[in-house]
């Protein structure tokens, strides 16, 4: 019993440490953007530096290629994101199937076990993390969030490879490139940070069974494929409302990216004013759609995880800053640019 308690306490410290590390990263990334976004009659030096770091493609003011990479390296963000999110999704999904079943029989056993233990130390320490109904729902909620993220990053990888036709001269700052790589590692992890330590230890044990005991993969995962899907149907209204919001933003971002991609394909060397879908309302509807996508993830999470809240705030701050820079570029570039268009919030900003 003592070693089980120590193991659970060790996992708990890892979970808390990871959660706070991610929260610190999102706060550290958001604060400079908020400071640089403070309205001023004259742009500050800090605003200029951050703008240079964040600029890419048409919004880059400097012609120097020092400390820059090709903008087509965007595809690397999403290649990393697809691989990493897939690993997290499969590991968390398998852990949920094996250790957090949502069938009524196992949930009934959880209730009986809690009464029989009389609030023992192990069960009270983490509310019986392997049997608690609340814990099980949260694990499957993380699976659902990772499924949505997988849908998002797979589409974005496809778009960077086959929809966008980046100019050979389009560049982005190396700082923005590294920030993008970090984002697509930290964002999926933020969606399952509460269970990352448990999933890691469980997956390591499963791999050891394959390597040491010679068990095949099918005997580890099982052939009950419906059992992997059925619990998702038992999630609540918050999850499905969040998914609907996510799909709404996802579809509009797909449309807006298609419009931008067609401009790059058909243009004769000159930038054009985009039209169609949400472009009639704002200059950066793809950024607005991205905010809606992450708002959907936040709603689907139930809004109880502070880490996901900070992820959402970072997305809004970062894309809001980029949208404001894009709006300034459009107004400077085109004398006939529609003045009714806002940066990213229709009729507001």
């Amino acid at each position: 019993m003592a070693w089980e308690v120590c193991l659970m306490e060790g996992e708990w410290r890892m979970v808390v440490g990871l959660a706070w590390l991610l929260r610190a990263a999102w706060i550290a990334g958001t604060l400079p953007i908020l400071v640089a976004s403070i309205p001023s009659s004259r742009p500050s030096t800090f605003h200029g530096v951050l703008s240079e770091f964040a600029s890419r493609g048409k919004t880059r003011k400097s012609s120097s290629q020092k400390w820059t990479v090709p903008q087509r390296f965007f595809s690397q963000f999403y290649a990393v994101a697809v691989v990493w999110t897939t690993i997290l999704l499969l590991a968390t999904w398998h852990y949920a199937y094996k250790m957090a079943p949502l069938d009524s029989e196992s949930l009934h056993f959880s209730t009986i076990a809690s009464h029989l233990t009389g609030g023992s130390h192990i069960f009270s320490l983490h509310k019986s993390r392997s049997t608690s109904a609340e814990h099980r729902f949260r694990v499957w909620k993380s699976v659902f969030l990772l499924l949505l993220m997988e849908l998002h990053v797979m589409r974005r990888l496809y778009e960077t490879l086959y929809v966008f036709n980046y100019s050979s001269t389009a560049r982005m700052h190396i700082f923005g490139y590294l920030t993008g790589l970090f984002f697509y590692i930290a964002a999926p992890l933020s969606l399952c940070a509460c269970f990352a330590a448990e999933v890691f230890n469980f997956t390591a044990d499963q791999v050891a069974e394959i390597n040491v005991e010679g068990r095949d993969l099918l005997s580890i995962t099982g052939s009950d494929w419906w059992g992997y899907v059925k619990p998702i149907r038992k999630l609540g209204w918050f999850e499905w409302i969040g998914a609907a919001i996510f799909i709404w933003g996802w579809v509009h971002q797909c449309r807006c990216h298609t419009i931008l991609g067609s401009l790059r394909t058909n243009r004769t060397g000159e930038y054009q004013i985009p039209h169609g879908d949400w472009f009639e309302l704002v200059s950066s509807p793809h950024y607005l759609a991205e905010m809606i996508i992450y708002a959907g993830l936040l709603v689907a999470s139930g809004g109880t995880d502070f880490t996901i809240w900070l992820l959402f705030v970072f997305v809004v701050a970062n894309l809001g800053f980029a949208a404001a820079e894009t709006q300034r570029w459009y107004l400077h570039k085109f004398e006939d640019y529609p003045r009714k268009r806002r940066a990213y919030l229709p009729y507001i900003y």
Side-chain angles (χ1 to χ4, degrees):
M1 287 294 183
W3 69 269
E4 289 180 352
V5 173
C6 291
L7 180 60
M8 294 175 70
E9 289 177 342
E11 286 184 353
W12 183 248
R13 285 194 294 268
M14 288 177 63
V15 167
V16 172
L18 177 62
W20 280 105
L21 184 63
L22 289 168
R23 292 171 185 179
W26 296 130
I27 292 172
T30 302
L31 287 179
I33 299 173
L34 294 179
V35 172
S37 301
I38 296 175
S40 174
S41 57
R42 296 180 60 185
S44 65
T45 302
F46 183 70
H47 179 279
V49 171
L50 193 62
S51 177
E52 174 66 19
F53 285 165
S55 64
R56 55 181 179 266
K58 63 179 180 289
T59 61
R60 277 193 60 79
K61 301 180 179 66
S62 173
S63 59
S64 173
Q65 294 191 2
K66 186 178 181 180
W67 300 107
T68 66
V69 297
Q71 192 178 2
R72 65 176 180 273
F73 278 19
F74 252 78
S75 61
Q76 296 180 11
F77 297 166
Y78 301 109
V80 169
V82 167
V83 172
W84 177 235
T85 305
T86 300
I87 292 172
L88 288 177
L89 173 60
L90 293 179
T92 306
W93 207 339
H94 182 53
Y95 170 80
Y97 173 74
K98 290 290 188 178
M99 304 300 292
L102 288 185
D103 58 277
S104 57
E105 180 181 346
S106 61
L107 293 179
H108 179 63
F109 171 79
S110 171
T111 304
I112 295 175
S114 297
H115 285 295
L116 291 177
T117 55
S120 70
H121 180 64
I122 293 178
F123 279 83
S124 62
L125 182 61
H126 300 301
K127 296 183 180 180
S128 182
R129 294 182 67 82
S130 63
T131 56
S132 161
E134 179 185 357
H135 174 71
R136 294 175 186 216
F137 274 109
R138 291 176 62 197
V139 171
W140 280 100
K141 188 185 299 181
S142 292
V143 172
F144 189 62
L145 294 175
L146 288 170
L147 269 172
L148 295 177
M149 177 61 82
E150 181 85 342
L151 182 64
H152 178 51
V153 296
M154 288 185 71
R155 175 181 59 80
R156 294 295 288 118
L157 177 60
Y158 172 83
E159 289 172 340
T160 55
L161 293 175
Y162 301 108
V163 176
F164 293 131
N165 182 24
Y166 294 112
S167 168
S168 59
T169 60
R171 313 286 295 184
M172 62 178 168
H173 200 280
I174 187 67
F175 181 83
Y177 171 74
L178 295 175
T179 300
L181 287 177
F182 168 79
F183 177 85
Y184 283 106
I185 292 174
L189 191 57
S190 295
L191 301 179
C192 61
C194 292
F195 316 103
E198 297 172 48
V199 172
F200 174 80
N201 289 332
F202 176 78
T203 304
D205 290 341
Q206 298 286 284
V207 172
E209 288 186 25
I210 295 175
N211 293 335
V212 178
E213 299 181 15
R215 295 179 62 186
D216 59 85
L217 185 60
L218 184 60
S219 67
I220 293 290
T221 59
S223 57
D224 180 22
W225 302 112
W226 178 240
Y228 279 88
V229 177
K230 184 168 62 174
I232 294 176
R233 299 171 58 220
K234 298 183 179 181
L235 296 176
W237 283 105
F238 268 113
E239 288 73 42
W240 294 110
I241 291 173
I245 295 171
F246 173 94
I247 294 298
W248 179 45
W250 191 92
V251 169
H252 278 284
Q253 188 178 64
C254 183
R255 292 175 180 173
C256 293
H257 283 163
T258 300
I259 292 171
L260 289 176
S262 66
L263 292 179
R264 293 187 175 100
T265 300
N266 299 327
R267 74 184 185 203
T268 58
E270 290 294 327
Y271 285 101
Q272 301 175 34
I273 299 175
H275 291 279
D277 203 68
W278 286 353
F279 276 108
E280 304 306 322
L281 298 173
V282 294
S283 297
S284 299
H286 48 312
Y287 293 160
L288 171 61
E290 185 92 354
M291 296 178 193
I292 292 173
I293 285 170
Y294 281 89
L297 291 174
L298 178 61
V299 173
S301 74
T304 58
D305 192 325
F306 188 50
T307 306
I308 299 179
W309 269 103
L310 291 176
L311 165 62
F312 173 69
V313 171
F314 172 81
V315 168
V316 171
N318 180 51
L319 295 181
F321 183 84
E325 295 296 302
T326 301
Q327 174 82 342
R328 277 189 280 270
W329 183 88
Y330 274 127
L331 292 173
H332 177 75
K333 178 70 176 178
F334 301 103
E335 292 183 358
D336 59 340
Y337 191 73
R339 300 293 165 172
K340 66 178 182 178
R341 287 192 192 179
R342 298 299 185 234
Y344 65 98
L345 291 178
Y347 312 110
I348 300 175
Y349 179 75

